[in-house]
Amino acid sequence: MTTILNGKLYADIIIEQLKTKVEKEQKKPKLAVILVGNNPASEIYVRNKQKKAQYIGFESVVITLENNISEENLLEQIYILNEDTNINAILVQLPLPQHIQTKKITEAIDPIKDVDGFTSYNFGRLILGYKPYSIPCTPKGIIKLLKYYNIDMAGKNTVVIGRSNIVGKPVSILLEQENATVTVAHSHTNNLKDLTLHADILISAIGKAKFITSEFIKNNSVIIDVGINRTENGLCGDVDYENVYKKAAFITPVPGGIGPMTIAMLMENTFELFKLQQNYLVL
Ligand code: NAD
């Protein structure tokens, strides 16, 4: 019997718990999202994040900027948000236009407002095993979902496909901190199948529709599909779900798996930053 890892269900529980917590707060957490340009996928993501924030009772603001904004002016926007004591969390929706250096922009965010955990301060602390202000949302959501379903990571052969700063790299660090034995594969990896066939837990963050078929996976393994791919037939993951389903013990669907968990973690991170700033907690 295959168990579907229902990220939507667990994310809804987390959202309701946050809503209850926010109701008890006099002042409300405030999330600022910067959206540059008019990438249709980014517009949808930002709209969904804002809707969820409002549902929970957060205050939120979306700052929409022209595609041709200069790096300097974008930095200026971030400095304003850093200084604004009413703003608890800042998110810059990625990808940014090519003329802007993403690392310069994410680095400009005050680490205590860095809701994505992408600044070198927070990312560095994550790697060192110190508590960062925020942990990147998608990786945090993956670990939470595995724990929710009581999937033990300790000692497991875990293969992460993808090494981006957003997903692959941070999730491999978190898995290692859960005592998994982690292998990171990427576009230069030879014989990917030889690795994945030994994976008790396989995490795919590639961005290639239905790339992972049943020939890649070990019997009774755990399959986490992070990919979001837009095809003629709608959204799908990196995993060929129908083809893989029966061979896996646990599998995340797309949509309804890691996507909702990512948004829930964004909300959780916003609330946590709000509490940190309120309590002047020192790490
Ligand atoms: P990215 O393009 O930055 O990274 C892709 C990674 O895949 C790279 O490290 C690359 O080396 C690797 N790769 C590419 N082709 C490969 C191949 N043939 N074999 C092995 N490795 C290969 O992408 P990203 O930002 O990490 O996102 C990955 C996917 O996850 C995308 O589909 C993205 O939309 C999705 N995503 C989903 C969520 C969510 O909330 N569910 C969040 C972030 C990203």
Side-chain angles (χ1 to χ4, degrees):
M1 258 289 280
T2 308
T3 302
I4 295 172
L5 300 172
N6 193 336
K8 167 88 174 64
L9 176 115
Y10 184 35
D12 285 346
I13 293 171
I14 295 168
I15 296 291
E16 289 308 319
Q17 287 170 345
L18 281 171
K19 194 167 186 275
T20 307
K21 285 185 188 169
V22 172
E23 275 161 13
K24 292 180 187 145
E25 299 288 338
Q26 270 195 331
K27 199 171 178 286
K28 305 299 173 192
K30 187 164 182 178
L31 169 69
V33 179
I34 296 183
L35 174 62
V36 182
N38 40 20
N39 175 327
S42 293
E43 283 173 349
I44 296 170
Y45 290 142
V46 168
R47 212 175 307 135
N48 289 342
K49 288 168 185 173
Q50 201 191 17
K51 264 197 217 156
K52 209 50 98 183
Q54 284 168 351
Y55 175 77
I56 293 172
F58 292 167
E59 289 181 24
S60 73
V61 57
V62 177
I63 299 158
T64 310
L65 302 166
E66 295 291 328
N67 197 61
N68 61 0
I69 187 169
S70 68
E71 202 171 78
E72 209 182 359
N73 286 348
L74 180 52
L75 284 171
E76 194 53 44
Q77 281 292 334
I78 291 169
Y79 298 144
I80 292 169
L81 296 172
N82 282 345
E83 291 301 315
D84 185 342
T85 50
N86 287 315
I87 302 285
N88 305 108
I90 304 169
L91 179 148
V92 178
Q93 184 64 42
L94 301 179
L96 290 169
Q98 284 205 326
H99 67 279
I100 292 174
Q101 292 182 65
T102 303
K103 68 175 176 201
K104 258 198 184 173
I105 303 305
T106 49
E107 273 302 272
I109 299 171
D110 184 337
I112 204 161
K113 298 190 178 186
D114 169 25
V115 72
D116 267 329
F118 292 160
T119 57
S120 54
Y121 179 87
N122 284 319
F123 212 95
R125 289 187 73 97
L126 181 77
I127 291 174
L128 290 166
Y130 308 160
K131 201 176 176 324
Y133 292 128
S134 289
I135 295 172
C137 302
T138 304
K140 188 181 181 190
I142 292 170
I143 302 293
K144 274 225 171 189
L145 190 62
L146 288 169
K147 287 188 175 171
Y148 183 68
Y149 281 90
N150 294 315
I151 296 170
D152 190 14
M153 290 161 261
K156 298 286 165 62
N157 274 337
T158 304
V159 174
V160 177
I161 316 178
R163 57 175 167 183
S164 72
N165 289 344
I166 298 174
V167 188
K169 208 170 283 172
V171 82
S172 67
I173 294 160
L174 292 174
L175 286 161
E176 182 240 43
Q177 289 171 359
E178 296 294 334
N179 298 318
T181 304
V182 186
T183 304
V184 180
H186 47 76
S187 53
H188 292 262
T189 298
N190 293 326
N191 306 323
L192 181 65
K193 252 185 221 172
D194 292 347
L195 299 175
T196 59
L197 278 171
H198 293 100
D200 303 311
I201 302 174
L202 178 63
I203 300 187
S204 183
I206 315 174
K208 289 197 170 143
K210 301 192 178 185
F211 182 88
I212 302 295
T213 56
S214 62
E215 294 125 56
F216 279 84
I217 76 154
K218 185 179 166 183
N219 269 328
N220 296 320
S221 55
V222 180
I223 309 294
I224 303 288
D225 190 355
V226 184
I228 299 178
N229 305 293
R230 281 158 221 283
T231 69
E232 284 172 357
N233 303 321
L235 277 191
C236 75
D238 291 345
V239 176
D240 190 345
Y241 187 85
E242 279 77 29
N243 179 265
V244 163
Y245 179 83
K246 276 197 185 145
K247 207 171 169 188
F250 296 89
I251 187 165
T252 58
V254 177
I258 300 305
M261 285 303 294
T262 297
I263 297 195
M265 292 305 99
L266 173 66
M267 302 301 139
E268 186 174 276
N269 283 357
T270 301
F271 187 75
E272 285 173 3
L273 292 180
F274 164 76
K275 292 303 280 181
L276 270 173
Q277 290 161 34
Q278 259 197 345
N279 299 332
Y280 300 106
L281 281 185
V282 178
L283 292 177

